[in-house]
Amino acid sequence: MSTVHSSTYFRHPLVWLLLAGAGIRLGLLGWFWDKPPQIYDEKYLYSAIASTLAERGTFAAPPDELTSNRPPLYPAFVAVLYKLFGDENYNAVRVTQSLLSLVMVLIIYRLGCIAFSERVGLWGSALCCFYPSLLVYNNLILTEILFTFLLCLGLYLLAVSIQRDALAWMAAAGVALGLAALTRSILWLYMPVLGLVLLLTIHRRFLRRAGMVAMLAAAFVLTLTPWAIRNTRLQKTLTIVDATGGRNFMMGNYQYTPLNRAWRAIDLTGDQGWAAAVAAEHPEFGRLTQGQRDKLALRAGLRFALEHPLLTLQRDTIKFFDFWQLERELPSQAAAGFFGSMPGWSVKLLSAIVVASYAFCFLAGIFGIFLAPPSERCYHGMLLSVILFTTAMHTLAFGHSRYHLPLMPLLLLYAASALLRLRNFRAEVSRPAFRFAAVTALVFVAVWAWTIVSTDLDYIRRLLA
């Protein structure tokens, strides 16, 4: 009996998918093995804080200065690995992240089965398993993989809770989403939006819906509370996760913000830097904590945005499309030698694979959102609200395209759902939703083409040379 069951289990496509995914991850681990990190955030932020945390037990950067400038969970995650396997053991981080990404493939499969169907779950998990950018980020000392894993886990637990009408699963979802917010602070403001979506879309009596949302919110808040207390005491002002949200918003909304690629404001120094702009109006700036400075930066950014509404609208439009811009970071880093010495042809091949896979999956995802969403409104609402909320928050800040990566597994489920509808293509073309999807996709393609022509031609020429 057990032999038959085992044989059936190993015939499941997901098993072979995971085995193939493990193989390609091992190959990439071999390439990155013992290579030191090259990206600034890897070396001087996350790894540095993790080393201090592992050695001294303090969340500080530099080692003698307590900080709230980064969310705590990813440095703590890296610090545990450094403590177990040796300081700055990047290989341990890469192996662990590769394993997490395989578990995430399984989570996406289960989420797809609940929200869509088993076939969509399988196709979506296959796209997620081999999505090029996610595969490379497994080997970088950055927050992407841990945050994406926790976000997908939280949404899966939420879907299970709705399916089973189980408060315990709802509490688990709140904890997972709280941990995701402690990895990237953008998510801590999402809970009111998610709560409202669930109240409006779950098919239960109102009191039951309210109880489920209350359980989710309570678990989420309790997960964040200890760190929020620590931060607030340290910064002498309410600081929930980190003290960077205000300055990030200001860098996207002040007089020196570049119109194109607003994130380049982070490199501005001297009188044009955000800190100098705030200090010019507040002589006490140098004596303030990180959190107090962040609050002043937020007010300055809000004031500038309200005083210049047309410029803000123009900037936000550009930042919205920047957020969903073609994935150029990894090709740029490969061309710069960040991943070791690579032949020119391999850099070109990587660039083509990364850009083409993103464009295909993103456009298919758009058609999936319009034409093939989940049958249950609550599942569609929770998936789409995460995508829209994250997009909106980054549009208000500086819209860097790197930060759309954690949303890709969710978009890949919509892409899989759309691809499975291709057999009914003729029937789909006649639907108004198809026209909306086609127009939306064409707008993005036009913006991508314009960006290539207007700003990227020199880079492409250098890459091809």
Side-chain angles (χ1 to χ4, degrees), residues 50-186:
S51 291
T52 302
L53 189 57
E55 293 173 6
R56 303 187 182 188
T58 57
F59 195 87
D64 57 348
E65 183 179 330
L66 295 178
T67 185
S68 298
N69 272 352
R70 284 293 178 273
L73 195 62
Y74 186 69
F77 164 79
V78 177
V80 169
L81 296 174
Y82 285 178
K83 196 76 174 176
L84 292 173
F85 301 105
D87 188 38
E88 297 188 344
N89 191 325
Y90 310 122
N91 294 331
V93 179
R94 291 163 179 154
V95 170
T96 307
Q97 290 182 164
S98 296
L99 292 173
L100 280 181
S101 74
L102 274 179
V103 177
M104 184 171 66
V105 171
L106 180 59
I107 290 171
I108 288 297
Y109 168 74
R110 292 299 307 147
L111 177 59
C113 289
I114 295 172
F116 294 88
S117 67
E118 184 174 1
R119 291 186 69 204
V120 171
L122 186 61
W123 280 53
S125 61
L127 292 173
C128 182
C129 187
F130 302 111
Y131 189 71
S133 293
L134 287 171
L135 286 171
V136 175
Y137 270 93
N138 288 335
N139 298 282
L140 304 181
I141 317 300
L142 296 171
T143 60
E144 269 72 9
I145 297 303
L146 181 62
F147 176 73
T148 308
F149 170 80
L150 290 169
L151 175 62
C152 294
L153 176 63
L155 294 175
Y156 164 65
L157 295 172
L158 186 58
V160 172
S161 173
I162 295 171
Q163 183 188 50
R164 301 184 182 182
D165 193 19
L167 291 179
W169 287 87
M170 191 65 77
V175 171
L177 292 174
L179 293 174
L182 290 173
T183 307
R184 276 195 179 170
S185 57
I186 189 172

Side-chain angles (χ1 to χ4, degrees), residues 44 139 339 392 420 464:
Y44 301 112
N139 298 282
F339 308 146
L420 288 169
L464 293 176

Side-chain angles (χ1 to χ4, degrees), residues 280-308:
E281 297 183 7
H282 298 275
E284 75 280 13
F285 183 83
R287 301 189 301 273
L288 300 178
T289 66
Q290 294 169 340
Q292 291 168 336
R293 294 176 184 180
D294 197 59
K295 293 290 194 298
L296 292 178
L298 177 61
R299 292 172 197 158
L302 287 170
R303 185 173 66 250
F304 185 91
L306 292 174
E307 291 174 353
H308 303 83

Side-chain angles (χ1 to χ4, degrees), residues 387-454:
I387 294 171
L388 294 178
F389 175 83
T390 306
T391 300
M393 291 296 101
H394 282 288
T395 296
L396 293 174
F398 43 71
H400 197 293
S401 61
R402 166 188 160 192
Y403 297 108
H404 73 233
L405 188 62
L407 301 177
M408 289 308 297
L410 310 181
L411 205 61
L412 292 174
L413 285 174
Y414 283 106
S417 186
L419 293 172
L420 288 169
R421 296 283 285 268
L422 283 177
R423 65 181 183 274
N424 300 320
F425 182 76
R426 289 184 179 179
E428 300 293 346
V429 170
S430 62
R431 293 174 57 189
F434 182 91
R435 292 191 284 274
F436 281 116
V439 170
T440 304
L442 285 173
V443 168
F444 276 98
V445 170
V447 171
W448 294 341
W450 170 252
T451 302
I452 291 171
V453 171
S454 62

Side-chain angles (χ1 to χ4, degrees), residues 59 67-75 143 147 177-190 220-221 223-232 234-235 237-246 290-291 294-295:
F59 195 87
T67 185
S68 298
N69 272 352
R70 284 293 178 273
L73 195 62
Y74 186 69
T143 60
F147 176 73
L177 292 174
L179 293 174
L182 290 173
T183 307
R184 276 195 179 170
S185 57
I186 189 172
L187 208 62
W188 80 265
L189 290 169
Y190 170 62
F220 182 84
V221 170
T223 304
L224 266 62
T225 295
W227 185 252
I229 292 173
R230 177 263 187 192
N231 276 348
T232 299
L234 178 64
Q235 303 304 328
T237 185
L238 181 62
T239 306
I240 303 299
V241 177
D242 62 22
T244 59
Q290 294 169 340
D294 197 59
K295 293 290 194 298

Side-chain angles (χ1 to χ4, degrees), residues 361-384:
C361 292
F362 178 78
L363 297 176
I366 288 177
F367 280 90
I369 289 172
F370 282 96
L371 296 173
S375 56
E376 294 282 346
R377 286 191 310 156
C378 55
Y379 300 136
H380 187 40
M382 74 179 194
L383 294 176
L384 194 57

Side-chain angles (χ1 to χ4, degrees), residues 248-254 257-262 301-302 304-306 308-324 391-400 444 447:
N248 287 342
F249 179 82
M250 181 182 170
M251 280 189 283
N253 297 276
Y254 77 127
T257 302
L259 187 59
N260 293 303
R261 301 185 180 181
L302 287 170
F304 185 91
L306 292 174
H308 303 83
L310 294 180
L311 175 60
T312 300
L313 178 62
Q314 182 184 15
R315 283 175 171 175
D316 286 349
T317 302
I318 294 171
K319 288 185 287 184
F320 169 81
F321 286 106
D322 277 347
F323 181 72
W324 290 109
T391 300
M393 291 296 101
H394 282 288
T395 296
L396 293 174
F398 43 71
H400 197 293
F444 276 98
V447 171

